[in-house]
Amino acid sequence: MLTVWGRENSTNVKKVLWLLEELGEQYQLINAGGQYGKNTEASFLALNPNGLVPCLQDGDFVLWESNAILRYLAERAAQPQFWGSDAQQRASADKWLDWASGTLAIPFRQVYVSLIRTPEDQRDPQVIATGMAAFEKAWAMLDEVLAKQTWLSGEQFGLGDIPVGCLAYAWFSLDIERLKHPHVERWYQQLTQRPGYQQHVMIALT
């Protein structure tokens, strides 16, 4: 059985648990990181020397870095919806994993960490404003893409929707003023109908 080390409120762990649910995989979750600790213990560092979650164990095989785990699980399951035989189709969905990490990760921290994990009297309004502007620019681009296709992965839900979908939940759950991006909002509403998204992503922001 697959084993996942991580905490449920970690965005990167959410990605992995959501995909496992979509794939119908059986797995064991070992709470680690954040309030659970364990990630600085020697036994965990032997698995992931970075001391970060998630960490995946598949028998004797150990893998860390959430996007690498997503790709591995998708290829391992060999379900065409998530890892088809067409290289261009796979790459078109796969690029959103890197886009989420490269384009959205910093503004996400600027906005989310500031508003959820930083006491109000310690927040830097300029940091929040910078993150908001970057997010709105990214969503505007995303809106143009989703005006032409149903999902980020193409005409059906797939791997490319998962990393951005996790960040979208936080964005739409924050008590902030947002610009209108109708195609992104339509896509997000589609995500909220998926049981795996409801179970592993749509949880209280902490």
Side-chain angles (χ1 to χ4, degrees), residues 53-201:
V53 294
C55 183
L56 177 76
Q57 291 178 275
D58 182 6
D60 294 331
F61 178 66
V62 178
L63 185 64
W64 33 268
E65 290 298 325
S66 59
N67 286 347
I69 293 172
L70 294 183
R71 294 178 178 109
Y72 171 72
L73 291 174
E75 185 169 9
R76 176 182 180 276
Q79 294 186 21
Q81 179 179 358
F82 295 98
W83 202 260
S85 57
D86 183 86
Q88 293 184 358
Q89 182 182 21
R90 289 199 309 271
S92 294
D94 185 32
K95 70 175 180 284
W96 295 109
L97 278 68
D98 294 331
W99 184 81
S101 296
T103 299
L104 292 182
I106 291 177
F108 175 75
R109 286 195 293 270
Q110 290 171 323
V111 177
Y112 181 84
V113 173
S114 294
L115 296 179
I116 298 298
R117 296 181 179 171
T118 305
E120 187 171 359
D121 61 350
Q122 298 177 27
R123 295 172 187 167
D124 185 334
Q126 186 57 51
V127 169
I128 297 172
T130 299
M132 289 284 293
F135 248 117
E136 292 290 12
K137 181 179 179 180
W139 289 144
M141 186 275 283
L142 209 66
D143 203 62
E144 293 183 7
V145 172
L146 289 167
K148 302 172 185 175
Q149 59 192 61
T150 306
W151 300 95
L152 291 181
S153 300
E155 291 311 307
Q156 63 177 354
F157 172 83
L159 194 66
D161 297 279
I162 289 178
V164 185
C166 289
L167 299 176
Y169 172 70
W171 174 257
F172 284 107
S173 298
L174 290 170
D175 185 17
I176 55 176
E177 292 187 11
R178 289 174 287 270
L179 299 178
K180 293 292 185 181
H181 302 294
H183 302 292
V184 173
E185 293 166 18
R186 181 265 306 162
W187 166 77
Y188 172 67
Q189 289 303 316
Q190 292 172 179
L191 293 178
T192 65
Q193 303 306 305
R194 304 190 71 84
Y197 194 75
Q198 295 169 1
Q199 180 178 351
H200 295 294
V201 181

